[in-house]
Amino acid sequence: MLAAVAIGASSLGLAPVVAQASSDGTQALKITRIKCHATEDNTGADDIYLVVDGTVIMNSIQFTAGDDKDIADIPIEAGKVLTVMEGDWPDDDDNLGAKRINGAGNYEFTDDGAHYTVSVG
């Protein structure tokens, strides 16, 4: 049955999806999109950046409510904890939530009155 499905897909001109593995054999994942449903700041745009294990993996990008932005395929390892931060200079930055990335999917960050969806593929 799988052979028939593969032949059918190739006859449609569709390439099979093959997950790439990282050097340790786990599936390579990438952050591909961020959607802002509600900002944390009441006065203007949020300055969102992403952190894994204390290291900034995406520098600040401004978001207002309703923004839905493609991200330039930022790699993240399965099992790592992703934290969404909002820059608030001169005040302390706001932690909008932390989630363990267990695979491809959409992860919701809703702490401190904000709501963001981070897509991992």
Side-chain angles (χ1 to χ4, degrees):
M1 179 65 177
L2 285 177
V5 172
I7 291 169
S10 66
S11 68
L12 295 173
L14 301 174
V17 176
V18 178
Q20 295 178 352
S22 64
S23 60
D24 65 359
T26 60
Q27 182 179 352
L29 298 169
K30 294 180 181 179
I31 297 168
T32 59
R33 182 174 215 81
I34 299 175
K35 178 165 179 62
C36 175
H37 305 278
T39 60
E40 183 278 331
D41 269 344
N42 294 327
T43 58
D46 281 352
D47 297 308
I48 297 299
Y49 64 98
L50 304 178
V51 176
V52 172
D53 292 339
T55 301
V56 174
I57 64 166
M58 183 191 86
N59 291 323
S60 179
I61 297 175
Q62 286 195 336
F63 283 87
T64 57
D67 283 351
D68 190 0
K69 298 182 180 185
D70 289 329
I71 303 301
D73 292 335
I74 297 169
I76 186 166
E77 291 179 44
K80 294 289 186 176
V81 174
L82 173 67
T83 303
V84 175
M85 298 293 295
E86 198 276 318
D88 265 346
W89 187 87
D91 300 329
D92 290 340
D93 291 354
D94 299 307
N95 182 329
L96 305 184
K99 303 281 181 183
R100 184 167 308 280
I101 304 302
N102 293 317
N106 294 319
Y107 294 84
E108 304 294 324
F109 296 83
T110 57
D111 290 357
D112 210 10
H115 183 183
Y116 283 85
T117 302
V118 176
S119 298
V120 176

